[in-house]
Amino acid sequence: MTAHGTDRPLPLSVDRTSPVPLYFQLAQQLEAAVEEGRLAPGTLLGNEIDLAARLGLSRPTVRQAIQSLVDKGLMVRRRGVGTQVVHRRVRRPLELSSLYDDLEEAGQRPTTTVLRATAEPASAEVAAALGVAEGSEVLCVERLRGAHGEPMALLRNHLPPGLLSPRTEELEATGLYRLLRAAGITLHSARQSVGARAATAQEAGALDEEPGAPLLTMERITYDATGRVVEFGSHVYRATRYAFEFHLLARP
C-alpha cells in the first residue's frame, strides 16, 4: 500500500498510550488518506497480515479498521482481488452550488440519466414553493446522478412555467444550474433544509442500496437576483457516498 503518485509506503502509525482504540486510529488514518487522494480509487490495500506486522497490531484489529471503511462505502472487499479503495466520499459545502459542480470539483466525473422532464400540474407543496397556483403547469425534471459508474443521488427539480425548456441531451451533459445561468438567470440565494430517512424500495433499486438504507435528503428553494423563485429541488443522496459539510462560528 503506497501513497498515490509515489512508491513510498503510506505513513501509518498508532499510539498505544492513547485512549483511542487502535483499530479506530488506523481507520482514521486510512480514511484521511482516501479523502485527501493519497489512496486513489482502485488502490489495493494489500495483505492484512503484512499491514498488521508492519504496525505491530493483531490481524483482527487491522480487519476491524478496514471493515469500518467498507461499512462507510470507502472501500470494498472483492473475492480473489482483496480490499480496494472505491472513491472519496463527496463532501458538499452548504453553499449555493449544484451537485454536478461539486462532483466535478471533487474529481468524480459526474454522469446523468434523465428519468423524466415533463410538464405536470403543480401539487400543493410545489405550488407553495414556487409561488404559483395549485394545479398550474410546471416543469418537473428527474435525474439519476452518478460518478465512477455508481449512482450517487436522485434529483427532482420543479421549475416555474416559461423559465427553461431544457433538452434531454442538455440535462445529461451538464448541471441544471449551469443551464439556468446560460439562460441569463442570476442565481442569488436559497432556503435549504437537510435531513435523513430510510430508502424506499424504488429509491433503493435506483441507488444500488438495500431498502431501508439511510439516505440524506435535501430540499431547496432557489431565488434569482430579483427575488423570483427559479426552482424547487427535492433530492436524496446515498449516505455512504455523500456528506453535507457545515462551517460553524461561535457566537460573540
Side-chain angles (χ1 to χ4, degrees):
M1 179 172 52
T2 59
H4 182 49
T6 76
D7 294 324
R8 299 190 304 274
L10 188 71
L12 298 169
S13 63
V14 293
D15 180 2
R16 297 181 183 278
T17 66
S18 171
V20 178
L22 296 176
Y23 89 90
F24 192 70
Q25 292 184 44
L26 176 57
Q28 283 185 312
Q29 293 174 72
L30 291 174
E31 182 172 356
V34 173
E35 299 286 4
E36 295 165 6
R38 290 180 287 125
L39 282 179
T43 301
L44 289 171
L45 287 195
N47 193 302
E48 290 179 0
I49 297 176
D50 292 341
L51 182 56
R54 174 183 157 194
L55 296 174
L57 299 173
S58 68
R59 188 177 181 187
T61 296
V62 172
R63 185 181 299 116
Q64 186 178 7
I66 292 174
Q67 184 61 46
S68 70
L69 300 187
V70 171
D71 293 341
K72 288 184 176 182
L74 298 177
M75 297 181 182
V76 65
R77 297 185 188 275
R78 303 190 189 279
R79 186 180 298 275
V81 176
T83 304
Q84 193 171 30
V85 176
V86 181
H87 50 67
R88 289 175 282 177
R89 177 183 287 183
V90 177
R91 297 188 180 274
R92 185 173 190 176
L94 286 185
E95 58 186 31
L96 190 51
S97 63
S98 71
L99 175 58
Y100 190 95
D101 292 338
D102 293 335
L103 287 170
E104 272 203 339
E105 288 183 11
Q108 296 275 356
R109 298 193 299 275
T111 59
T112 304
T113 300
V114 176
L115 305 179
R116 70 184 180 116
T118 57
E120 66 177 30
S123 66
E125 179 187 25
V126 170
L130 294 181
V132 299
E134 184 177 350
S136 62
E137 191 174 272
V138 296
L139 176 65
C140 178
V141 177
E142 292 186 358
R143 294 155 294 158
L144 177 65
R145 181 65 44 77
H148 290 294
E150 286 192 303
M152 294 285 291
L154 282 169
L155 314 175
R156 179 185 293 117
N157 296 80
H158 286 91
L159 283 71
L163 186 72
L164 193 69
S165 300
R167 301 188 306 274
T168 297
E169 54 268 29
E170 291 177 318
L171 291 167
E172 291 184 341
T174 189
L176 180 61
Y177 278 11
R178 291 187 182 183
L179 292 175
L180 288 170
R181 292 187 179 102
I185 297 166
T186 301
L187 304 179
H188 179 267
S189 59
R191 289 194 292 113
Q192 178 171 287
S193 61
V194 177
R197 61 171 173 79
T200 65
Q202 182 178 4
E203 291 167 341
L207 293 172
D208 196 22
E209 293 280 1
E210 294 294 326
L215 298 178
L216 296 173
T217 66
M218 186 272 282
E219 286 193 351
R220 176 187 284 180
I221 299 174
T222 305
Y223 304 86
D224 69 6
T226 69
R228 173 183 56 166
V229 176
V230 294
E231 65 105 11
F232 170 52
S234 180
H235 305 166
V236 292
Y237 305 83
R238 299 176 72 184
T240 56
R241 301 291 188 268
Y242 204 79
F244 289 99
E245 192 168 81
F246 298 81
H247 179 66
L248 305 178
L249 298 175
R251 287 183 177 177

